[in-house]
Amino acid sequence: KLLQACPTTQAVCTFTRLSWSTVNAIMVSAVERGMLRRAEEEIAYLGIDEKSSEKGHTYVSILTDIEGSRVLDLVPERKLTAAVSLLETLTPAQRISVKAVAMDMWQPFIKVVGEQLPHARIVHDKFHVMGYLNAAVDKVRRQEHRELQAQGDDTLTGSKYLWLKD
């Protein structure tokens, strides 16, 4: 309960006066018990993503149940094989029940979901969609600005922020 209520593991350590390794062992044990109690229920909406786990470019891949707001599995690395192993944790019945998978636009995720869950729709998260949209708008803005400046028109000068905010 403390691990759920406190913002960090270190906060639990400070509150309970236990070492970090002791608190971490309790957390690992709780996760293991929770995994054993997990029932095989239908999962309609999955999320698959990667997170940086340490300094540098060390990643983990995460499979989540979006409606249930829970992590289903986590594997080291951000590779095609990691995505495959995540989806292999689902039972055949669970795979059939998946209606949609939210993910970024990383090609290995798209490929694996297309192969293992061909009936599920792929939904790209708005953070990545907006990143591509903003890049396209900025590219067109720069091109238009160059063309207008060549004609002696400074209409777009100083307008970059207006085009790219929100």
Side-chain angles (χ1 to χ4, degrees):
K1 296 285 184 189
L2 281 173
L3 284 164
Q4 290 176 332
C6 290
T8 64
T9 303
Q10 188 58 48
V12 175
C13 295
T14 302
F15 183 74
T16 60
R17 296 185 184 151
L18 295 172
S19 69
W20 189 91
S21 59
T22 301
V23 172
N24 189 58
I26 293 168
M27 181 175 61
V28 168
S29 175
V31 169
E32 288 172 352
R33 284 193 316 272
M35 293 295 284
L36 292 173
R37 286 192 311 263
R38 182 182 286 176
E40 183 185 315
E41 68 273 358
E42 291 186 359
I43 302 170
Y45 303 103
L46 290 174
I48 187 168
D49 203 357
E50 79 283 340
K51 293 284 183 194
S52 176
S53 64
E54 297 173 13
K55 289 183 179 178
H57 294 283
T58 304
Y59 294 95
V60 294
S61 296
I62 304 168
L63 184 68
T64 58
D65 171 7
I66 293 176
E67 284 186 320
S69 298
R70 62 188 175 136
V71 174
L72 298 173
D73 206 355
L74 179 137
V75 294
E77 299 183 333
R78 178 189 187 229
K79 294 184 177 179
L80 181 73
T81 54
V84 169
S85 67
L86 283 174
L87 292 179
E88 285 177 347
T89 63
L90 300 173
T91 66
Q94 287 174 320
R95 288 184 197 180
I96 291 170
S97 70
V98 176
K99 295 178 184 173
V101 182
M103 67 179 76
D104 61 21
M105 296 178 184
W106 192 51
Q107 203 57 42
F109 285 164
I110 295 169
K111 181 180 179 192
V112 169
V113 168
E115 290 172 355
Q116 293 202 15
L117 306 171
H119 59 282
R121 298 187 81 166
I122 293 175
V123 180
H124 297 295
D125 60 66
K126 71 178 182 178
F127 173 79
H128 290 91
V129 171
M130 288 306 298
Y132 283 109
L133 180 61
N134 281 341
V137 168
D138 192 42
K139 182 178 178 181
V140 171
R141 180 199 58 80
R142 282 186 273 126
Q143 179 183 341
E144 293 287 324
H145 182 57
R146 277 192 299 274
E147 290 174 9
L148 287 172
Q149 277 191 319
Q151 299 169 10
D153 187 346
D154 288 334
T155 304
L156 293 179
T157 300
S159 69
K160 179 178 180 178
Y161 177 76
L162 293 172
W163 288 99
L164 300 179
K165 74 173 189 159
D166 297 329

